Amino acid sequence: MTVSPTTRRYARMKAPKSAVVAWKTAERQEVSRVETIALGGLFIRTKNPPKAGSTIQMLIVTPRGYLRTRANVRDVIAGEGMGVAIVSMEPEDRGKLERWLKQLAELEETAKTGA
């Protein structure tokens, strides 16, 4: 049986080890490591993620400063983490995220080519 890959609007990238996000729900707040990142969302490592469908507020830490976003929890892997879709952010923060992702892509490409 063949499983078709999920079609994504934005390509995912492996986040640098230093990438962290502070996030909160109405009940709790936590700081977690970012596993993968894209313009449309992230996979956040956390032992106890909120249930799918929850809305969270996030503060993504980047080399260019903090990005404030709101996201919906789309997928949950119990004991491992959650995939979240960004649903809103200020245009300035979106620009910062786009520039950071471009920089990460360039670094990844440089590492592949050995230049």
Side-chain angles (χ1 to χ4, degrees), residues 51-73:
K51 66 182 185 198
S54 300
T55 297
I56 64 172
Q57 291 182 353
M58 299 188 302
L59 194 63
I60 304 168
V61 181
T62 78
R64 298 178 191 267
Y66 301 107
L67 309 176
R68 292 184 187 281
T69 70
R70 199 174 47 154
N72 287 336
V73 178

Side-chain angles (χ1 to χ4, degrees), residues 30-83:
E30 191 172 314
V31 175
S32 304
R33 189 171 126 43
V34 178
E35 179 85 8
T36 59
I37 189 165
L39 197 52
L42 343 147
F43 186 83
I44 300 169
R45 287 273 170 204
T46 178
K47 295 282 185 202
N48 190 17
K51 66 182 185 198
S54 300
T55 297
I56 64 172
Q57 291 182 353
M58 299 188 302
L59 194 63
I60 304 168
V61 181
T62 78
R64 298 178 191 267
Y66 301 107
L67 309 176
R68 292 184 187 281
T69 70
R70 199 174 47 154
N72 287 336
V73 178
R74 295 294 173 114
D75 300 303
V76 171
I77 301 174
E80 289 188 37
M82 61 183 164

Side-chain angles (χ1 to χ4, degrees), residues 4-109:
S4 62
T6 303
T7 304
R8 296 193 176 276
R9 191 182 208 173
Y10 305 104
R12 277 200 252 178
M13 302 180 60
K14 186 161 180 57
K17 292 192 185 310
S18 60
V20 295
V21 61
W23 58 272
K24 69 179 182 176
T25 64
E27 297 81 34
R28 71 176 210 258
Q29 52 189 19
E30 191 172 314
V31 175
S32 304
R33 189 171 126 43
V34 178
E35 179 85 8
T36 59
I37 189 165
L39 197 52
L42 343 147
F43 186 83
I44 300 169
R45 287 273 170 204
T46 178
K47 295 282 185 202
N48 190 17
K51 66 182 185 198
S54 300
T55 297
I56 64 172
Q57 291 182 353
M58 299 188 302
L59 194 63
I60 304 168
V61 181
T62 78
R64 298 178 191 267
Y66 301 107
L67 309 176
R68 292 184 187 281
T69 70
R70 199 174 47 154
N72 287 336
V73 178
R74 295 294 173 114
D75 300 303
V76 171
I77 301 174
E80 289 188 37
M82 61 183 164
V84 301
I86 296 172
V87 294
S88 70
M89 71 172 32
E90 293 295 322
E92 181 182 331
D93 287 339
R94 185 175 177 86
K96 285 182 194 174
L97 180 57
E98 286 175 338
R99 287 188 297 276
W100 186 42
L101 291 172
K102 184 177 179 189
Q103 180 184 23
L104 290 174
E106 288 168 357
L107 289 171
E108 191 174 277
E109 191 60 35

